[in-house]
Amino acid sequence: MQAHSQTTIGDRVSLSGVGVHSGTPSSITLHPAEPDTGIIFLKNSDSSVCDIEVPASHRWVVATSLSTVLGSDEAGSIATVEHLLATISGMGIDNVLVEVDGHEVPIMDGSAEAFVEAIAQVGLRRQPARRRYIRVLEPVRVAMGESVGELLPFNGRRFEVEIDFADTIIGRQAYVFDLDSGDFRRELARARTFGFVDSVEQLWANGYALGASLDNTVVIGDGVVINPEGLRFADEFVRHKALDAIGDLTLAGGPILGLYRSYRGGHKLNCAIVEALLSRDSAWEWVEMPVRREAVQADVEALLPAAVYGADVA
């Protein structure tokens, strides 16, 4: 496999579920896309005459409260895109069309696992075009109260995420993940979103978490995890925050070569750091290859059998 070829999915694949915030049924269908397409969400207009394109771009972010929401006046909103975007980035997919039926990407079990499994069923296809990276050239820092995020020059794609909650079940946790390691499927995809029982009524009153349940959220109450099965990882909370960060930074429009470090971060901070980076021309550049050879992701390698895809690379 040539590590720097663009990829798309092997065939279309659909998933259905419920929106964690809307509480209404929603479904998505992923379609293969041509080289240099990027990640595009397709949403039917109110008249259902045509599909409206909503690029997975920081320029299209309209909200970051409890989830990342893309949209426009014409298209309306598409909420909770972060877990799907993390999957697309974590599995090394460059080009895909995401048809959305509803106003929210389905939450599935609160993690990225269902998206990973669906894509694994259809595999990936290498394409005759080089992957382009956004290389960080200068440190970029954003502070929001006690939350701090920074992007630093780094010879790879690394995330260093730290959280700090007063609740003793979570407390202070830190996690480091290299996106080129090939471990996304095993180490991050199964980490679920989480919430607190004592905040549920306020969330409902504000129109959030209407579809949340023990089936799609790790719920904390009275100092314990309420879910009967418990946690999937001892540090599942910070792993999920790393998952969110990977998804949100995908909105840069290309894989970022650099180190993202965050403390007490969330969607608002993640999106702000992307905006801060791209708004400073001297802080980044497009490159076709990283400084060192990109590590071949084990997940991608398994989904790209040479006998099927070898002839697709120019």
Side-chain angles (χ1 to χ4, degrees), residues 164-223:
D164 192 357
F165 283 79
D167 190 282
T168 56
I169 292 296
I170 303 178
R172 192 164 185 168
Q173 300 180 1
Y175 188 74
V176 178
F177 184 74
D178 287 299
L179 199 51
D180 292 328
S181 66
D183 290 334
F184 177 82
R185 191 175 186 179
R186 180 174 62 252
E187 300 295 338
L188 282 186
R190 298 183 67 244
R192 295 163 294 175
T193 191
F194 57 93
F196 299 88
V197 168
D198 58 10
S199 63
V200 168
E201 289 188 2
Q202 182 179 353
L203 289 172
W204 287 345
N206 293 326
Y208 295 110
L210 300 178
S213 71
L214 294 178
D215 293 328
N216 57 39
T217 305
V218 177
V219 181
I220 302 164
D222 295 326

Side-chain angles (χ1 to χ4, degrees), residues 256-268:
I256 295 177
L257 280 174
L259 163 62
Y260 180 49
R261 184 178 291 149
S262 71
Y263 172 71
R264 301 189 70 168
H267 301 299
K268 185 175 182 180

Side-chain angles (χ1 to χ4, degrees), residues 41-278:
F41 288 87
L42 300 175
K43 189 172 182 182
N44 288 333
S45 64
D46 291 338
S47 63
S48 299
V49 173
C50 62
D51 287 325
I52 300 172
E53 294 189 359
V54 179
S57 166
H58 66 103
R59 296 185 180 90
W60 289 72
V61 173
V62 295
T64 52
S65 295
L66 301 179
S67 75
T68 300
V69 185
L70 304 178
S72 68
D73 291 340
E74 182 186 20
S77 62
I78 304 171
T80 320
V81 299
E82 59 271 12
H83 302 166
L84 177 60
L85 291 179
T87 302
I88 291 169
S89 184
M91 297 187 75
I93 300 168
D94 299 284
N95 306 301
V96 63
L97 301 177
V98 183
E99 184 181 354
V100 181
D101 183 7
H103 300 286
E104 191 173 5
V105 174
I107 191 62
M108 310 312 290
D109 72 345
S111 76
E113 183 175 32
F115 302 127
V116 169
E117 295 302 323
I119 292 170
Q121 290 178 9
V122 298
L124 305 185
R125 182 171 76 245
R126 280 186 290 159
Q127 297 177 296
R130 289 281 192 175
R131 176 175 294 154
R132 300 179 74 212
Y133 299 82
I134 297 171
R135 180 162 60 189
V136 178
L137 300 176
E138 299 174 356
V140 175
R141 188 175 188 270
V142 173
M144 296 178 172
E146 295 182 330
S147 302
V148 180
E150 57 183 353
L151 272 169
L152 304 170
F154 182 77
N155 198 15
R157 297 188 291 162
R158 176 170 291 180
F159 289 77
E160 296 181 0
V161 177
E162 186 173 359
I163 60 175
D164 192 357
F165 283 79
D167 190 282
T168 56
I169 292 296
I170 303 178
R172 192 164 185 168
Q173 300 180 1
Y175 188 74
V176 178
F177 184 74
D178 287 299
L179 199 51
D180 292 328
S181 66
D183 290 334
F184 177 82
R185 191 175 186 179
R186 180 174 62 252
E187 300 295 338
L188 282 186
R190 298 183 67 244
R192 295 163 294 175
T193 191
F194 57 93
F196 299 88
V197 168
D198 58 10
S199 63
V200 168
E201 289 188 2
Q202 182 179 353
L203 289 172
W204 287 345
N206 293 326
Y208 295 110
L210 300 178
S213 71
L214 294 178
D215 293 328
N216 57 39
T217 305
V218 177
V219 181
I220 302 164
D222 295 326
V224 298
V225 172
I226 295 176
N227 305 63
E229 72 275 23
L231 297 174
R232 293 175 175 176
F233 307 93
D235 57 353
E236 186 169 2
F237 305 105
V238 71
R239 289 186 192 228
H240 186 79
K241 286 290 189 177
L243 177 76
D244 282 346
I246 291 170
D248 290 336
L249 264 64
T250 304
L251 298 172
I256 295 177
L257 280 174
L259 163 62
Y260 180 49
R261 184 178 291 149
S262 71
Y263 172 71
R264 301 189 70 168
H267 301 299
K268 185 175 182 180
L269 181 70
N270 297 336
C271 292
I273 200 73
V274 171
E275 184 74 31
L277 173 71
L278 299 182

Side-chain angles (χ1 to χ4, degrees), residues 6 32-40 55 94-97 127:
Q6 292 183 26
E34 295 298 315
D36 298 318
T37 297
I39 306 164
I40 304 290
D94 299 284
N95 306 301
V96 63
L97 301 177
Q127 297 177 296

